[in-house]
Amino acid sequence: MADQFVPVLRWEERPEGPVLVLLDQTRLPVEEVELVCTDVPALVAAIRALSVRGAPLLGIAGAYGVALAAARGFDVADAAEQLAHARPTAVNLAYGVRRAEAAYRLALDAGTGDASAAAAALTEARLVHREDAEASARMSELGRELLDELLPGGRLRILTHCNTGALVSGGQGTALGVVRAVHQAGELRRLWVDETRPLLQGARLTAYEAARDGMAYSLLADNAAGSLFAAGEVDAVLIGADRIAADGSVANKVGSYPLAVLARHHRVPFIVVAPVTTVDMSTESGAEIEVEQRPGFEVTEIASPYHSDTRGEAGAGLTEQSGAGIPIAPVGAQAYNPAFDITPAELVTAIVTERGVISPVTRENVSGLCSTSRKGTSRSGDGMMNP
Ligand SMILES: CSC[C@H]1O[C@H](OP(=O)(O)O)[C@H](O)[C@@H]1O
């Protein structure tokens, strides 16, 4: 196991007051630069620029953001609203914000005073952080067991999309956390890493994590994935999720849905790995999930952390503003840039959570994930063997 990263996110008590310190993911893999957030607008800007990103980590950051507002005497209700709406698709963000806000309100209503209420929000944020680390560890175990069952004895060739590792989690990640467990068990033959245009989370972040772990990996352009399936080079697809609707539809980084179609056509297991905090039973179906639309310049320009002149002014992040990148389209070109797409449940072989694995992905099995009386895995029929 490689040495640990610079912490992806940490709370620090400083003489001038508490701060939230973030590893700026827009600067990776070239530089490990830390952003120090002293207020909520700075944290909201970091979330929108994807300096801090990835559904579970957004929930953790959101919870600490509420604690920061409370500790620094800002308006907590206003801070919670700003944070919860910083990005629309990952349900984890609002989940973490509301957890910390509720703890703050409960303490305040109990008459404990502002300082104690702020401490309650911080305690809850730390709990959200710890719970996600525990969930990550459990998902890694369950995901590796699932792969052992689906593909016994194999040295696996796994394809993944975007970044779902330690950079999105309180622990070692979601889908990439499973890959890590497979690698550490000596069962990973090859990790195929989709570069994940346009923000290149695969090229910049997953390759960075895989390299640090000594994994055998190959980076590929997203549109090369089809030829890998056709050549029989993919044993399983593992991805994360930003929101799972009640019907089992999965919102994830754009490019996930085409992989699900390819996987079904080539009878390859398509596995989603996500903590239960990603499941949103109040969203009935995938059609109701708000898909974040991002600025067109992320598509019409190429920005790279390797080239400081493409990071915008003051070495800002990759997504700071138009004109920071190198144009790769005619000036004025219009662009379609959804951050996510929706994969219907019928194309998902299994969903791995810390509370068990569900397959097939049905409304009943999704609902079971959220029931307090849940007992382990819900799998029926031969859904596992017919990816
Ligand atoms: C398992 S959470 C990681 C998830 O978040 C990514 O989105 P973004 O980089 O825009 O935050 C992507 O959808 C990953 O699957």
Side-chain angles (χ1 to χ4, degrees), residues 222-277:
D222 301 323
N223 45 32
S227 56
L228 278 179
F229 282 94
E233 288 291 336
V234 181
D235 298 312
V237 177
L238 268 68
I239 65 164
D242 290 78
R243 190 180 297 236
I244 299 170
D247 70 350
S249 301
V250 175
N252 195 57
K253 184 52 53 190
V254 65
S256 300
Y257 172 58
L259 289 177
V261 174
L262 279 166
R264 177 50 51 90
H265 178 73
H266 291 281
R267 299 183 61 73
V268 168
F270 183 84
I271 298 167
V272 174
V273 184
V276 171
T277 51

Side-chain angles (χ1 to χ4, degrees), residues 49-103:
L50 279 73
S51 293
V52 58
R53 48 155 293 280
L57 189 66
L58 289 177
I60 296 166
Y64 279 118
V66 170
L68 185 67
R72 284 184 168 258
F74 301 135
D75 180 320
V76 169
D78 178 56
E81 285 311 300
Q82 286 183 51
L83 287 163
H85 295 94
R87 289 184 74 193
T89 306
V91 68
N92 315 60
L93 175 55
Y95 168 81
V97 169
R98 300 309 177 198
R99 279 265 308 256
E101 187 185 20

Side-chain angles (χ1 to χ4, degrees), residues 97-344:
V97 169
R98 300 309 177 198
R99 279 265 308 256
E101 187 185 20
Y104 172 80
R105 293 257 165 264
L106 197 62
L108 214 55
D109 294 350
T112 61
D114 291 346
S116 175
L122 180 56
T123 300
E124 193 69 14
R126 293 191 197 285
L127 183 58
V128 170
H129 197 163
R130 188 170 68 248
E131 287 173 358
D132 189 72
E134 292 164 357
S136 170
R138 183 68 179 132
M139 288 187 287
S140 298
E141 289 171 24
L142 290 173
R144 190 172 77 80
E145 288 168 12
L146 175 66
L147 288 171
D148 265 353
E149 181 178 337
L150 274 175
L151 302 154
R155 295 241 316 129
L156 301 178
R157 297 160 298 181
I158 297 172
L159 186 140
T160 194
H161 192 70
C162 198
N163 171 252
T164 57
L167 292 170
V168 301
S169 164
Q172 291 304 309
T174 59
L176 194 60
V178 175
V179 174
R180 250 186 193 106
V182 171
H183 169 62
Q184 288 163 1
E187 296 163 353
L188 181 68
R189 179 173 160 191
R190 176 68 46 184
L191 177 64
W192 300 115
V193 179
D194 268 4
E195 65 173 352
T196 316
R197 280 266 305 153
L199 294 181
L200 304 174
Q201 289 93 326
R204 295 186 301 108
L205 306 176
T206 297
Y208 170 77
E209 291 201 48
R212 288 176 73 105
D213 281 18
M215 294 182 193
Y217 76 95
S218 298
L219 183 60
L220 61 137
D222 301 323
N223 45 32
S227 56
L228 278 179
F229 282 94
E233 288 291 336
V234 181
D235 298 312
V237 177
L238 268 68
I239 65 164
D242 290 78
R243 190 180 297 236
I244 299 170
D247 70 350
S249 301
V250 175
N252 195 57
K253 184 52 53 190
V254 65
S256 300
Y257 172 58
L259 289 177
V261 174
L262 279 166
R264 177 50 51 90
H265 178 73
H266 291 281
R267 299 183 61 73
V268 168
F270 183 84
I271 298 167
V272 174
V273 184
V276 171
T277 51
T278 310
V279 177
D280 176 15
M281 293 306 290
S282 68
T283 298
E284 190 54 37
S285 70
E288 294 173 22
I289 297 176
E290 182 182 350
V291 173
E292 178 185 4
Q293 299 298 319
R294 292 194 61 85
F297 71 81
E298 293 176 355
V299 177
T300 61
E301 299 170 12
I302 193 86
S304 155
Y306 288 99
H307 306 100
S308 57
D309 59 327
T310 67
R311 283 205 309 263
E313 290 162 21
L318 294 182
T319 62
E320 290 302 296
Q321 69 262 333
S322 174
I326 298 167
I328 55 172
V331 173
Q334 298 297 303
Y336 168 61
N337 186 20
F340 305 101
D341 59 21
I342 308 294
T343 298

